[in-house]
Amino acid sequence: MVKAGVDGVLKAVKKVRGGVKVDHHKNTAEMEVVRIPTPSKVVIPMQQHIGAPCDPVVKVGDEVAVGQLIGDTDKFVSAPIHASVSGKVTAVGDVKLPNGVMSKAVTIESDGEMRLWDGIEPPKVETKEDFIKAVRASGLVGLGGAGFPTHIKLNFPADKNIDTLVINAAECEPYITVDYRECMENSWDILSSVYTLKEILGFKNVVIAAEDNKPEAFKILKNIADHKDDIDDSVKLMILESKYPQGAEKMMVQSATGRRVPPGKLPADVGCVVMNVASVAFIARYLKTGKPLVSRSLTVDGSAIANPKNVRVPVGTNIGEIIDFCGGFKTEPAKIITGGPMMGLAIVGTDLPVLKQNNAILAFSKDDAVLKPETDCIRCGRCAIACPMSLMPTNIVRAAKAKDADSLKQLGITVCMECGSCAFACPAGKPLVQHMRLAKAILREEGNK
Amino acid sequence: MVDGKKLVVSASPHLRTKDTTRGIMLDVIIALIPALIAAVILFGPRVLAVTATTVATAVLSEFLARKVMKRHNTIGDLSAVVTGLILAFNLPVSIPLWMAAIGSFFAIVVVKQMFGGIGQNFANPAIVARIVLLLSFGQAMGNWTAPLSWKTDAVSTATPLAIIGGESTEALPSLLDMFLGVRGGCLGETCSVALIIGGIYLMARKVISYKIPVAFIGTVAVIMLIAGKFDLEFVAYELMGGGLLLGAFFMATDYSTSPIKSNAKIVFGIGCGLLTCVIRLFASLPEGVSFAILIMNLLVPHIEKIMAPKPFGTVKEKKTKAGEAK
């Protein structure tokens, strides 16, 4: 099934169609992740994952320590939330998240000590059930940006015939280098996790996938793939052409196995689990220490940032404070994004907390922030060529304008993952992703009727 | 803290290609320049007068049409310039300038703007204009000036395809002359080498894909090879004669009036080639490229509907049913 290339390094079984070539801007690749000074205050939202929000389990005035549970829920799709600094809870109330949605949040005033919670101890993991329970308790969500609770992803029923674990180190978004840093700095964690996951969850194959613009990371990942523990040679490194969106989940599954995830289905439906490399490394650290997900690495970059850096920050740290740590702005920022420039979210100000799944803060000066003016569609078809999902964005726009739900369904709008390749490629400067979202909303409305 | 009011908030992606409509049209104009230079050498300075007339009329018509329709001005995208240039290339050098102007006005106002402007027209404006002129002013549109005769006395000649079709007893130009454009015909269609250079430029710049030109020209080559009983010389005349190269590289590849997806592009190209051959071999016209492209333009929505791409991961219904039965 998996084709071995030169020196046991895999090439994509089936290449990703479409996509776009974007400038990499991996300016921070060689910058080690540095810890920011303990923030004076963190605001920790109860919704930092796909699924149900948590309910705060602490109240104003409580003393908390790093790693202490502060939010949890009985709902199935969710992930618990932990205190990221030690100190006193000063507020439990609503805050606006970067995407504009309101969420309950716990504000903790830090005592500056970063004292670990007494209850922290390495989990005892003997069975698969123990392992899933431990992953849930760690509060881990997909660190690549989507924020899907990892314990749900890994808790697949045995009859799904899951045989392949794909570890995503593609990091195809421009600017972001934290996954690369994870490979360079925490390779032992990745190594240990790979073999734990394989053993406990019973994967037949593990494919570690990276883009060909990270030769240094290859050497390290290759060592992991070639490690002596890999007795049956089932762990392989796969090198992919640098092309956006190679790192998208469905694209990863196709590259690694040649299988295509049908519309509305998950990688698990074709026997695969895809995990971000930072999530993988975190699992090893958690199993060793029992310290839940309370901090994460971020790339801070962009033309308006004075000193671009890779930083490790407590979850809930104020974005403005992080930018100040990176020297503040060297020019007036005109756009600030959380996440990468292709799929990231433009935010309305810097007074917002960092979430578990944020992997970058990018600030751009006016020249890079103002998009070119929109002109008429000339039907050049570049959007359709760029679409990795074989959609016809230009036709979807037409159908959406006509509010034609039947056509939208036929055009397959639901498989659109909003990667932004179409809008990137459009010479007419059409905000195509916005149109795609509108089209999905029309379909949802139709479904609600 | 940054004041939120000063920040741009827009939907992702936050990066865009530097390509613009204007840039694409500029590339097409650049690609047409070798053929324009060749036309001036072959047919004299009047080429420039005809071209200037069609381009100026096209731009002015677009400007006025948008004004009257109270829509934003689009002459800056240069697409009207391209239409004007291509129409000029489809006219004989001797055409009265007022006729050229009428053609250009018709192309822009009736064919392009009345259907909604750039990207919305169902047929290639320059082709429809050419056909309208052909039907309205048959004589002027069939008056071919002999190449390189402008310096002395402009004499008329017949086109190579008319000679092959037996409508004239003049001697055929040599294949080298065909390649260089030293033959009768529309002012921009004769110089094969210049058109090929332009076409390659467009493909190298990724403005057009090779699929339509290759399918179009390839189909004509194969059919003519069979029709001419494997006479390679005959095939060469057919490929370089008439407006095949101009049509295949510059007119059939028009974005608005050709399919978007690659496999549909190939079908479209083969269709153009097939119709061109049918017209050339069986109809009373010596030349069929314009009509072939026009008919295929009209079929584009149907081709696209039949050949609509399957969204990623979609399996054919039959297969799923069979799978479930198991």
Side-chain angles (χ1 to χ4, degrees), chain B residues 21 42 53 56 66 91 93 119 134 144 148 153 172 177 191 193 206 224 244 260 263 291 326:
Chain B
T21 303
L42 293 164
T53 306
R66 300 296 290 192
L91 301 175
V93 67
L134 207 60
W144 310 113
L148 304 171
D153 236 356
L172 263 176
D177 280 349
C191 184
V193 57
K206 298 206 166 132
M224 289 305 180
L244 180 62
I260 284 176
N263 48 0
F291 287 98
K326 277 175 198 170

Side-chain angles (χ1 to χ4, degrees), chain A residues 93-403:
Chain A
D94 285 335
V95 293
K96 200 177 248 175
L97 299 183
N99 62 5
V101 174
M102 297 302 283
S103 162
K104 278 226 167 62
V106 171
T107 305
I108 305 169
E109 206 136 295
S110 163
D111 57 12
E113 287 175 23
M114 290 303 265
R115 191 166 31 83
L116 270 187
W117 183 48
D118 307 332
I120 286 180
E121 54 178 4
K124 283 194 192 79
V125 173
E126 275 157 16
T127 62
K128 188 185 162 187
E129 284 66 42
D130 293 345
F131 179 72
I132 300 295
K133 222 192 235 165
V135 172
R136 184 184 188 281
S138 75
L140 179 61
V141 300
L143 297 178
F148 188 75
T150 309
H151 66 98
I152 301 201
K153 190 186 267 190
L154 297 181
N155 193 14
F156 45 82
D159 63 353
K160 280 266 188 203
N161 288 325
I162 308 281
D163 56 7
T164 305
L165 170 67
V166 184
I167 297 175
N168 186 353
E171 204 163 50
C172 58
E173 279 262 16
Y175 291 96
I176 308 178
T177 58
V178 281
D179 284 354
Y180 172 76
R181 292 314 309 169
E182 197 73 43
C183 299
M184 300 299 285
E185 296 170 27
N186 301 323
S187 51
W188 283 109
D189 296 337
I190 301 171
L191 174 75
S192 140
S193 242
V194 164
Y195 293 101
T196 311
L197 285 164
K198 192 163 130 23
E199 197 184 305
I200 294 183
L201 300 175
F203 294 109
K204 285 197 196 78
N205 301 293
V206 179
V207 179
I208 309 172
E211 284 193 342
D212 60 12
N213 59 354
K214 308 172 183 72
E216 288 305 312
F218 289 160
K219 287 181 201 155
I220 287 172
L221 296 173
K222 184 78 174 39
N223 285 340
I224 294 175
D226 291 346
H227 194 265
K228 59 176 171 38
D229 285 358
D230 184 20
I231 16 175
D232 52 355
D233 198 28
S234 56
V235 182
K236 295 251 166 53
L237 173 63
M238 176 171 71
I239 297 189
L240 302 167
E241 174 197 3
S242 309
K243 183 170 84 171
Y244 181 85
Q246 279 286 14
E249 198 170 55
K250 287 184 178 181
M251 306 294 103
M252 278 281 147
V253 170
Q254 182 185 325
S255 299
T257 64
R259 301 172 201 163
R260 291 182 152 205
V261 181
K265 300 280 182 177
L266 295 168
D269 293 300
V270 294
C272 294
V273 166
V274 184
M275 286 181 79
N276 171 272
V277 70
S279 307
V280 169
F282 170 80
I283 288 180
R285 285 197 290 275
Y286 180 73
L287 294 179
K288 221 168 351 184
T289 64
K291 188 179 167 189
L293 183 64
V294 292
S295 67
R296 71 148 302 140
S297 299
L298 288 171
T299 295
V300 185
D301 199 356
S303 52
I305 298 286
N307 304 315
K309 274 186 175 56
N310 284 316
V311 295
R312 184 104 194 148
V313 304
V315 169
T317 306
N318 188 282
I319 289 175
E321 215 167 306
I322 298 169
I323 292 173
D324 287 344
F325 176 70
C326 297
F329 299 108
K330 69 178 170 203
T331 57
E332 199 188 336
K335 190 183 244 179
I336 303 178
I337 303 165
T338 61
M342 293 302 282
M343 286 186 82
L345 198 67
I347 53 178
V348 292
T350 56
D351 191 13
L352 288 164
V354 162
L355 308 180
K356 286 176 184 176
Q357 72 268 39
N358 289 160
N359 48 9
I361 296 167
L362 306 174
F364 295 101
S365 55
K366 204 176 162 206
D367 293 344
D368 304 304
V370 179
L371 299 174
K372 64 185 176 196
E374 190 183 337
T375 54
D376 296 326
C377 170
I378 55 172
R379 261 179 62 88
C380 64
R382 292 176 190 206
C383 52
I385 293 168
C387 181
M389 291 297 177
S390 298
L391 299 178
M392 301 271 275
T394 153
N395 294 7
I396 291 173
V397 171
R398 273 185 197 214
K401 274 190 182 153
K403 302 213 162 174

Side-chain angles (χ1 to χ4, degrees), chain A residues 17 254 262-263 329 332 334-335 337 341-342 344 348 350 372 377-379 382 389-390 420 423-425 427 433 437, chain B residues 2 4 6-8 10 12-17 19-20 24 118-119 206 255-256 258 260-261 304 310-313:
Chain A
R17 82 169 290 279
Q254 182 185 325
F329 299 108
E332 199 188 336
K335 190 183 244 179
I337 303 165
M342 293 302 282
V348 292
T350 56
K372 64 185 176 196
C377 170
I378 55 172
R379 261 179 62 88
R382 292 176 190 206
M389 291 297 177
S390 298
F424 175 85
V433 173
R437 288 180 186 148
Chain B
V2 173
K6 284 186 187 159
L7 291 178
V8 179
S10 58
S12 60
H14 307 287
L15 296 176
R16 298 292 163 90
T17 167
D19 296 343
T20 58
I24 291 171
I118 189 165
K206 298 206 166 132
Y255 290 147
S256 311
S258 66
I260 284 176
K261 293 300 255 192
E304 291 210 307
K310 290 258 178 301
F312 183 91

Side-chain angles (χ1 to χ4, degrees), chain B residues 21 37 125 163 206 238 316:
Chain B
T21 303
I37 294 170
I163 300 170
K206 298 206 166 132
E238 287 292 342
K316 281 181 194 150

